[in-house]
Amino acid sequence: MTNNLPNQSKSYWHDSVDLPHFPKLEEKITVDVGIVGAGITGITAAYLLSKQGFNVCLIDAGYILNGTTGHTTAKITAQHGLIYDEFINHFGVENAAKYYMANDEARNFIEKIVTENNIDCHFTTEDAYIYTNSEQYVKNIENEWKAYEKLNIKGEILDTTPLPFAVKKAIKMENQAHFHPLEYLNTLIDECQENGVQIFENTRAVSIEYNKQPAIITEDDHRIICRYVIQASHYPFYDGTGFYPIKMYADRSYIIAAKTKKTVENGMYINAETPTRSIRPVTINNEKMLLIGGDNHKTGQSHGQMMAHYDTLRKFADEKFQLLNIPYRWSAQDQVTVDKLPYVGYVTKNQHNVFVATGYRKWGMTNSTNAALILHDLIMEKDNQYADLFSPARDIKVDPSIRKLISFNTDVAKHLIKGKVDSSNADIEELKQNEACTTIINGQRIGVYKDEDEQIHAVDTTCTHLGCEVEWNNAENSWDCPCHGSRFTYTGDILNGPAVKPLKKVTIK
Ligand code: FES
């Protein structure tokens, strides 16, 4: 294979759009709604609420749309893997139907906004397919089809798909879509600005002072006094005793944009088995390509071998489609909740002016839009038929979630201890450019990275969130926390929360 992976991780969505930039917040302000996190949830909520006349402020710790929204496969679908049979078993037919309807309405909402605003974002209606090539999963596909029939989901069970390779069984959900998410959201940002939304970048929220009028406190100690706060920051930085760290885990996945000899013009695809393979067509610089994603794993738990995940996707692309080249590669991080339903609503039962939206389990385009619609209705004090299903205060169903919950926390405990007893003592002198290692200095575990100029950067590897030990990610050159998914640059700056403080820099003599 002559096709190499690009050296740098860069999302095609970001490379193909000019986004506006915004100043940092430098003063105390008072607004009706303070929204933290300028991804699809935050921007859609800002758009909806500002249209209702609310005075809205939207802040982001970095740049707008630089989180998961800018690193998605951008499938707009209610087909979220094999989920409906499982949801019927765990939550009942009525709730499984609600999950479908909420996501279907979100899909239709996006189409309506695209049509009304004439947004050129390559919105394309497509059927979505789950396929399997594993005998073991044929039964699961058949059960999922029965669930589709019970829930009146339009689709088909099939023995073939438009893919250029055979499958054992597949299920189709009709009339789904994909688009260029940043073109879509760029227009919503324009609309927000026309509606008077104040937008600030490089403005990290570190806590909330909870009062009748809550205040968002920023890293620079400025206050945003609000009637309502929405945490749309991927992971809630303010927990309010909602115990989010024990109710979610962070998962990373990988995407390549591939030019291939064989291609598929229509449809969007995902396999039923693991490792996950997600496929959708995309046009890049007037050329038909494929976005191929998957190979996900819990954040910080890939033993430093992140590039291997891209390589696996590359091999898959070559085997199935005859790979020509790979112009882009990037990765994304998602939160997964213990019962697979997002948490959308009041941060805790008793704090009705602080909201959270998280846990989209990689299906962020519709789940985020649904979240924004629910939060809009809660703030407007309007009934929303889906609010209870997604409420963070819901009862978590015992099977299989609780088993997972136990394993989450065993895992966290393991990572809290691991590293503290890590006796690895790598030789810093032997590090090559762009390599990192951990070592023990004066009894303290230190992460050391040598950059392209042979400069050494050392940090204390204790995560500033709850004290787990971060691990090196060689695909993104970052320190990633295995417990709740905080990520840091090699200099210790925060890439992803929940941590709100950087890793401590260490001077090596
Ligand atoms: Fe929670 Fe690191 S993200 S301990």
Side-chain angles (χ1 to χ4, degrees), residues 62-80:
Y63 296 109
I64 60 166
L65 292 167
N66 207 22
T68 306
T69 304
H71 295 85
T72 168
T73 52
K75 293 177 176 176
I76 309 169
T77 178
Q79 188 188 63
H80 297 174

Side-chain angles (χ1 to χ4, degrees), residues 463 465-468 481 483-486 498:
C463 177
H465 177 226
L466 294 176
C468 291
C481 182
C483 289
H484 315 107
S486 289

Side-chain angles (χ1 to χ4, degrees), residues 447 449 451 457-459 472 477-479 488-493 495:
Y449 170 72
D451 69 19
H457 304 268
V459 292
W472 182 244
N477 282 356
S478 59
W479 293 105
F488 305 85
T489 65
Y490 58 77
T491 56
D493 294 330
L495 288 168

